[in-house]
Amino acid sequence: MNIVETYKEEFISYLNKKVTIKEPENLYAPIHYILQIGGKRLRPILTIMTCDLFEGNTKDAYDAALAIELFHNFTLIHDDIMDSAPIRRGKITVHEKWDINTGILSGDAMMILASQCFNKYEPELFKKLTLLFNKTALEVCEGQQLDIDFETRNNVTIAEYIKMITYKTSVLVAAAMEMGAIIANVEKNEAEKIYNFGLNLGIAFQLQDDFLDTFGDAATFGKQIGGDILEHKKTFLYLKALEVCDKTEKEKLLSFYNTKINSETKIKGVTDLFNRNKIAEITTKEIETYTQKAFTILKTLAIQESKKDQLKNFGLSLMKRSI
């Protein structure tokens, strides 16, 4: 078993001890359900791994890791309600299995439980972790609102899109890593470096997710290919195509997104347009840009070279899957 699997198994064991079904059952059963239906546990793993890389006690990181996992899954419950999504990780979503009111309330409870995870830390550590957690939680909400706003806007810029995915996805990855560093009692500048490492890697992850939604393999991606196209998501691919294609192609792309046509026809038409304008290659370069930004920061960290290699290899392995 490799070290990452060890982190994961130990964290899941801790999660199962801490999060159980109790009364009122209809509040806690949905929380237990969403936490047990899968998930790669990448964010809590990053908290524990970072603590270990900076030679901290990994057991001290479990509560912060649990806070991250609870918060992440809370956002999933509420996202699924907002998106009217019937399936999450191949299982029925919480609001479909119970009802919308239960989903909202259980999600709210998860947010409170996440905040309580920091109560066991000493005052100085509690303050640092709580400040970071609250900042991150609000940014995730801001990112979600931006994503909603973009649905009805036709003038979204790539810079705005990068800001949205940074807030909605990347800041939680970055905060998960910084918490591990804080618990390991590293210098402030080192904690900031690992945060920025996670931030850039998180942006690369989301761009990779965008890429795979159109150009990935359904069997390995785990989602329907072309889902973003069918939902008219203004992803990096779509925005870059509007930027680089000629007037005729631009009008065609807008037509695909603004008219009701057969799903297969829409996916094929948009994908063909992306191919003609080399959007796959452009997106791959953008992913590489943010990945290299992360790895440049990694070189400056005050940890052993072997540990830098471990973190780099883990980051590269994550690029092959969705977070």
Side-chain angles (χ1 to χ4, degrees):
M1 182 186 299
N2 63 39
I3 188 65
V4 174
E5 285 301 316
T6 300
Y7 295 143
K8 182 177 181 179
E9 286 201 3
E10 291 179 352
F11 172 73
I12 291 174
S13 177
Y14 189 74
L15 182 153
N16 289 337
K17 290 177 184 175
K18 301 294 288 186
V19 183
T20 58
I21 300 174
K22 55 186 179 181
E23 292 296 329
E25 185 173 330
N26 281 335
L27 178 67
Y28 291 103
I31 295 172
H32 187 265
Y33 173 79
I34 188 69
L35 289 169
Q36 295 296 327
I37 63 171
K40 302 179 184 71
R41 319 291 187 185
L42 296 179
R43 293 160 188 81
I45 286 172
L46 285 170
T47 301
I48 297 166
M49 174 186 284
T50 306
C51 182
D52 197 15
L53 291 174
F54 283 107
E55 299 184 357
N57 185 339
T58 56
K59 287 183 172 56
D60 291 341
Y62 287 175
D63 283 303
L66 183 59
I68 291 290
E69 185 71 351
L70 282 165
F71 175 77
H72 173 58
N73 282 274
F74 143 70
T75 67
L76 298 184
I77 291 179
H78 282 197
D79 282 358
D80 287 341
I81 292 171
M82 285 185 269
D83 294 340
S84 299
I87 300 295
R88 166 68 63 181
R89 297 168 179 158
K91 303 289 184 180
I92 301 171
T93 48
V94 166
H95 70 278
E96 288 286 339
K97 186 174 176 64
W98 281 271
D99 54 52
I100 289 176
N101 288 342
T102 299
I104 292 171
L105 193 58
S106 292
D108 291 345
M110 289 183 81
M111 178 63 179
I112 297 165
L113 290 170
S115 297
Q116 289 180 336
C117 288
F118 301 114
N119 291 346
K120 292 186 177 180
Y121 292 103
E122 294 299 318
E124 186 177 350
L125 203 52
F126 170 84
K127 182 178 179 180
K128 290 179 181 179
L129 294 171
T130 302
L131 286 173
L132 177 57
F133 178 79
N134 289 340
K135 169 182 173 290
T136 303
L138 188 57
E139 287 173 339
V140 172
C141 292
E142 291 172 359
Q144 176 69 4
Q145 185 61 57
L146 288 172
D147 195 19
I148 293 169
D149 292 346
F150 290 174
E151 292 176 8
T152 55
R153 280 184 52 192
N154 291 318
N155 60 342
V156 179
T157 66
I158 289 177
E160 288 177 316
Y161 180 72
I162 295 297
K163 179 180 179 180
M164 184 273 287
I165 64 172
T166 298
Y167 281 11
K168 187 174 178 181
T169 301
S170 304
V171 294
L172 191 56
V173 174
M177 301 193 77
E178 185 174 359
M179 284 185 188
I182 290 171
I183 292 164
N185 197 33
V186 304
E187 296 292 333
K188 183 178 178 181
N189 67 320
E190 286 296 296
E192 289 174 351
K193 286 179 185 178
I194 201 68
Y195 179 92
N196 287 319
F197 169 84
L199 198 71
N200 282 287
L201 206 59
I203 295 170
F205 290 157
Q206 186 57 54
L207 290 172
Q208 177 79 348
D209 201 64
D210 290 355
F211 175 86
L212 292 174
D213 190 273
T214 298
F215 296 106
D217 176 73
T220 55
F221 185 45
K223 301 179 186 177
Q224 175 189 13
I225 296 301
D228 286 345
I229 294 171
L230 294 180
E231 294 173 16
H232 302 159
K233 290 279 188 181
K234 296 178 176 73
T235 63
F236 177 85
L237 285 72
Y238 169 82
L239 295 172
K240 180 55 72 170
L242 288 179
E243 185 180 284
V244 304
C245 65
D246 61 30
K247 183 179 179 181
T248 301
E249 294 271 54
K250 181 176 180 178
E251 289 175 352
K252 188 178 293 185
L253 180 57
L254 290 171
S255 176
F256 278 127
Y257 269 63
N258 294 322
T259 58
K260 291 185 178 180
I261 58 175
N262 174 271
S263 296
E264 290 184 11
T265 301
K266 181 175 287 192
I267 292 171
K268 185 178 187 307
V270 173
T271 303
D272 287 346
L273 187 149
F274 285 169
N275 283 327
R276 288 194 297 274
N277 288 278
K278 301 187 183 303
I279 299 303
E281 292 88 338
I282 293 170
T283 305
T284 300
K285 287 181 181 178
E286 194 75 2
I287 293 166
E288 180 65 18
T289 295
Y290 282 99
T291 303
Q292 288 308 314
K293 282 182 180 180
F295 291 160
T296 297
I297 294 168
L298 179 60
K299 292 177 182 178
T300 69
L301 288 175
I303 57 176
Q304 297 173 9
E305 290 301 317
S306 60
K307 293 183 176 181
K308 292 178 185 179
D309 289 341
Q310 179 187 338
L311 192 51
K312 182 176 182 178
N313 291 334
F314 184 64
L316 290 172
S317 71
L318 295 186
M319 296 305 298
K320 299 177 183 178
R321 47 183 141 165
S322 171
I323 62 166

